[in-house]
Every structure is written in structure tokens, then in C-alpha cells.
Amino acid sequence: MLEFSRTWLPFIYLYGVGGIVFTVGLFLILRTKALRLSYLRHKKWFWLLLYGFVFWFSLHAIFIILAVGSK
Amino acid sequence: MDIAVGTSLDRIIIIAYFALVMGFGAYFGKYSKTTSDYFFGGRRFSWWLISISIVATGVGSHSFLKYSTKAYQYGFSSTMTYMNDWFFVPLFMFGWLPIIYYMRIKSIPEYFERRFNSKARYLATILTLIFMIGYIAIQFLTLSTVLYKIFGIPLMVTVILIAIATTIYMHFGGQTSVIFTDLFQGFILIFAGMLLFYLGIQFLGDHTPHSGLHAFWTNLSPVEKLPLAHFNHPPDFNFVGIFWQDGIAGSVGFLFLNQGLIMRFMAVRSVNEGRKAVAFNALCILPISALVVSNAGWIGRAINNAVPGTLPVDMASNDVFVAVTNIISSPGVFGFIIAALCAALMSTSDTLVNASSAIIVNDIYKPLSKKKNSDGEQLKVARWTSLGVKVIAVIMVPFFNTFDSIYEANGWFHATFTPPLAVGVFLGIFWKRFTTPAIIATFIGGAFLMILGQIFPEMVSPFAHGIELRPNRGYSYIGALYNIVVCAGVGIIVTLFTKPNSDKKLKGLTIFDVLKLKEIYKGSRPNEELGKPVNVNWELMENDNDIIQFSTNDMETMKAYPGDLVYIQDARWWLGGLRSVHTVYGNPHNEDGVVYINSSHLDHGQFLEGLQLKAEKEM
């Protein structure tokens, strides 16, 4: 059985600390209106930024699940 | 262990490849007319061209050796550093990128002068130059180590030969040559890496009862399949240390401080194209790059588990890339894959050489030169500077050869030079209150505390997250967290006790002014109306003003008015903007489908007789 510190702990740390950086960044660009959701083009970028986060989150999670379940 | 490597065919392929790239790069020299072209490629390229050329810059020759070694030792977790860059992408796309593009910032040190003062610029120049030239030296050392095994030429002679080869096309072509050779080499790198993976899978299929992919998967242990390393063990490869060194300091360093990357983004035709290049790179190219640089190690591990004895028992992990390539590929293919390694080296070093030369011209030569130099003279200085940078890098190679491994040399470099600059630029952009005395203190005081941390590693222990302290060797990666904290700490404390710069001085240089950047760039209110591009035929007019003239109807289609900015390019999309210019709309005429340009536009854009142009309003 793989230990927690090999499997999910790094994952939680990565998306916990990294998630804070990402959220603060997103908050800052929205707050300063560098990213304006009223612009169609910017709205697409906003969703792409969220998609990127979910993409990497899912990719790492899937590989951990596959590794844990393999022999 | 001695690995017998390469046949005569392999050697011929490697030499032919060098010749091909030199010719290719030299050809694009004709598109460099001014220093702006030489350093920034004339701000005209499409996102896809920049995106692929970034691959070749990001994947250095040391990447193949370094990551395949870690992949062989630890499995899929070797990819960690390629998959943790997204956290800073929002701040880069909508904070830093518009600032450098619209404020026409030519170098990182220039930003420090405009945001703070000239002292900050000089300190930043010194740190940036040492970092980049040292990095070039590491690239030279890496490839020379591999080629030495194949050609048997003494290491330093190989280093000099490689430096000469890259100089030939860089000297004439500058950034345009760099972009196009990197585009070519980016494809070669990806193809060679994928080919290696395919051959490895085939080899496993041929030597086990299972199909290739099945054999690959089942011959890696569960630990080797994990995408992230153990949280804090062992000291030389653990998750938390690498997260702070690469995911935080490295990501800020790469996205916000890498002069080569900044110049690449300055070469895109618009900020939006730059954003597309970042997104495509981070979401599509980085996962592929991770596979490309690591797979020799994974294949080596799977071969070792499935067919013990195939790889030499006493093989050092560092040799896995060459050993696996040699075993699974036939003569000629081996040469091609090593040529791809050359591609990685040349493309990374050419970017860094061009970037160093830009810094020397823009941050040392121009400010110190008493007389006002012409563009031609600056271009000449830039070309000779790139040669000088290479000579210094070659001289530095023996120093880096004293490190235990290239991985260690690279890690030491990042840990030592990135944090003060990273903290400085980051607080500069995102904290308006951050003061000039604070940036000086960050550079000097922060560096002092970092040196103390190197001498007394016990100071780093409170940040170590349980990573073991190795006697006489200190901490490998988590030192980055300590360095960031001390630099940021010094910067924040000094800021709180000093007077901030006026809003006027900061105009356009922090994220809080991003809204005003387009207006600053254009010099008048930007026109944000959405129009459509038009295809037109060009006619030459006798006029020295930097304006081009369209018909009233074409202007209406583009929703453009006289004085707005326009981008016009050869209508063939696959040129990626190579033949293009940025200019200004003049007063309209009545001939639909015709644009009047002057001889300067024709010369700069290299437009061809009888071929249509595509025009679109910028703002």
C-alpha cells in the first residue's frame, strides 16, 4: 500500500498552495479590471483560465488513481 | 561505464544537421533591418509560430539528460516541473504581458529603471547577465559531454565548435533567425522525442510476451507511475522542495524574468496573440515536452525490469539517455536523435545569447554611450556582443564542469539568482506601494541573507518541511522558499518605512494601470469597435509618412478611422506574419480592395508583387 505522503499529500499541497496563488491572481486581474468579464473575448479567457486549472488538477488526480490501483 | 556510441552514419547526420540549421538561420538574416527586428523580430509573428519556437527554448539539451535521469530513478514524477506553471498564468497573461508589450519594455533591467531608478537597473543587469551567460555555459557543457562520447574530440574543443556553429546564424539573423530556427528545431525535438518513445515501446513489445504499451505499463512499479514525488524524501528529489524551487521561484523566473521568453513575446503581433501562445504552450505543448524529455528514462526503467541485463549493470543514471537511445534505435536514427539534442542546445543558447546581447546593448551600451548612436551602429554592437557573450560562456564552462552533475549546477543557479529578481519584479508589478529603497534592499540585503543561508543551512531548517539536512551539502531545493521569504521580508519591511513613488512615476508599470496601457501605447483613445479583416492588393505611393491608405468601404468593414493602428501582412497564413508591418491608417480613398503603402513599408514587410495582403485594425 502506497503511503499518503507519496500519493495524495503532494497533490493536496500542490493544489492547495498553487490554488491560493491562482485564486489571488484571478482576483487581482478581475479587481484591477485587467480582465473584464463584460468583454466577450475576455470572458472566453476567463473560462480558459479556469479550464486550465481543472485540466492539470484532473490529470494529476487520474494518474494518482491509476498508480494506486495498479500492481 | 563506457558506452560505445554512434556509427559513421550517425556522425554524418549530426554534422549535416548542424549545417542545415546554420543555413536556415542565416537565410532569415535578411528580415533583420533594425535593432527592433534584431531583438524583437519586429513584433509581427502569429501565436502558433511563437508557441512552437518556445518549445525549443524551454527544452534545453540539459533537459533531455536531466529529466531522463530522474525518470529512470523515480518514474513519472520526473514530469513535475513541466506541470506546475498554470498557477501564475492569469497574472502573466493579464498583468505582466500587457505591461511589457504596451510600455515597449525592451529588457527586465529597463523595467527596474522605469519602475524604480537607475541603481536598481544596474543591479538587475548584473544579476540577469550572470544568470543568462552561466546558463549558456551549462548548455554548452551538456552537449559537449554527449558529443565528446560520439566524436572523441576533447571537451573544450567541442564546446568551441558548438559556439561557432550557433554564432554563424545568430550573428546575421538575430531574433527572426532565432524564431525560425527554433520553430524548425521545435518540430524536430518533438518528433525525435516521440520517435524515441515509439521505438522504446516497440522494443518492449518485441522482448516481452505483452504488447508494447502493456509491457511498458506493467513493468513500472506503482511508485514509478505516481506523477508527484514523495512529499519530503529523499533530500535530492522530493515534492515540496521542487515545488518551491521550480513551481514557485522557477515559474516566476521563467514567465516574468526570462529575457529570452520576454523577447519572444515582444515578437508577437499583439497581446492577444501572446496570450494564445501562452495558453497553447501551457496546455498542449508542456505535457508533450514532459513526455519528450523524460521517456528515455521510463523506457530504460521498464527495460531493466522486463529484460534485466539489457542495459549495463554498472550504468550511471546520467548515462540512461544515450544508453537507451543506442539500444533501441538503429544507426542513422541514433544520429538523428542526437541531432535533436543538438537542436535543443542550439535553440536554448541562441535565445539566451540574443537576450544577453539585448541587455548589453539596451542596458549598458546605450545608457553609457555619450554620443547618440544610429540604429546601424547599435545593430553592429549587438552582433559583436552576441559573439562576446559566447566567448565568456565558453570560458565559464570549466567552472560548471566542477559540479557533481548538470542537475546540481542548474539547481544552484536557479536557487542563487532567481529569488531576488523574482521578488523584485513581482512586488514591483503587483504592489504599488513597493518602494525604490526596498528594491535595492531586496537585492543587497536579500542576497546577504541568502549567502548566510548557504553558509549556515540551519537557518533554512524552519522552512524545510521535514526534509533531511545533509551534512556539508545543505538543502537542495527548499532553500528557494527560504530565499523567497528573506528577500520578500526585506522588501516589505523597508517599504513600510520608506516613501512610495508618485503615481505619475508608476504610470503604466503596475497591474493597476493595465486599463490605461492601450491608450499610452497608441497615444490617443483606443478604438475598441469590433471590425473584420480585409484582403487587399497593394500599390506603392510616394510618401515618407508612416501611414497607409484604404478605401472608405474597407475602413468601414474594419471599423477603423484615420489615426488608428493597423497590422498588415501577406495573406498567406502559414507565413505566420513574417512578411508584415504595423502602421497607422491615413485618410481614405475610393478604390475598394486597394491599399497604398510607401517604400519603407514595402522594404520592411518584404511584400511580393501581385500577392494580396490581409489587413486588420489593432486599436
Side-chain angles (χ1 to χ4, degrees), chain A residues 2-3 5-7 9-11 13-15 17-19 21-22 25-26 28-29 32-36 39 41-42 45 48-49 51-53 55-56 59-60 63-64 66-68 70-71, chain B residues 76 82-84 86-91 93-95 217 220-223 225-231 239-240 243-244 248 272 275-276 279 282-283 286-287 430 465 511-512 514-515 528:
Chain A
L2 295 170
E3 329 156 45
S5 53
R6 271 196 187 279
T7 53
L9 179 60
F11 177 82
Y13 194 95
L14 177 65
Y15 289 97
V17 179
V21 172
F22 182 79
L26 217 49
L28 210 55
I29 59 175
T32 57
K33 295 199 169 105
L35 178 75
R36 278 174 287 182
Y39 282 17
R41 189 186 263 181
H42 280 200
W45 281 119
L48 187 102
L49 289 170
Y51 166 79
F53 189 86
F55 170 78
W56 288 114
L59 196 68
H60 276 127
F63 266 90
I64 293 173
L66 286 174
V68 169
S70 73
K71 290 173 190 171
Chain B
F76 291 169
Y82 276 84
M83 303 201 179
N84 57 16
W86 194 256
F87 306 125
F88 288 97
V89 166
L91 288 174
M93 274 187 183
F94 287 89
W217 183 256
L220 291 174
S221 69
V223 169
K225 289 173 195 161
L226 285 167
L228 302 170
H230 187 286
F231 185 71
F239 164 79
V240 71
F243 171 75
W244 283 101
I248 301 294
N272 204 50
R275 287 178 184 137
K276 285 184 199 170
L283 290 175
L286 281 182
F430 301 112
H465 289 70
I511 194 172
F512 303 95
V514 167
L515 263 180
E528 303 275 18

Side-chain angles (χ1 to χ4, degrees), chain B residues 337-349:
Chain B
I337 290 171
I338 297 298
L341 199 71
C342 303
L345 166 107
M346 293 203 285
S347 51
T348 305
S349 68

Side-chain angles (χ1 to χ4, degrees), chain B residues 32 36-42 45 50 170 173-180 260-267 350-351 354-355:
Chain B
S32 283
S36 169
D37 293 341
Y38 192 80
F39 290 134
F40 306 112
F45 297 112
I50 295 298
M170 279 273 330
Q175 183 72 336
T176 306
S177 289
V178 170
I179 287 171
F180 276 87
L261 194 79
I262 299 285
M263 288 166 69
R264 208 50 67 82
F265 282 109
M266 296 298 278
D350 63 17
T351 301
N354 193 245

Side-chain angles (χ1 to χ4, degrees), chain B residues 49 112 224 228 249 251 398 483 505 548:
Chain B
L49 206 152
F112 279 98
E224 286 157 359
L228 302 170
S251 293
N483 293 343
K505 159 100 179 152
I548 57 176

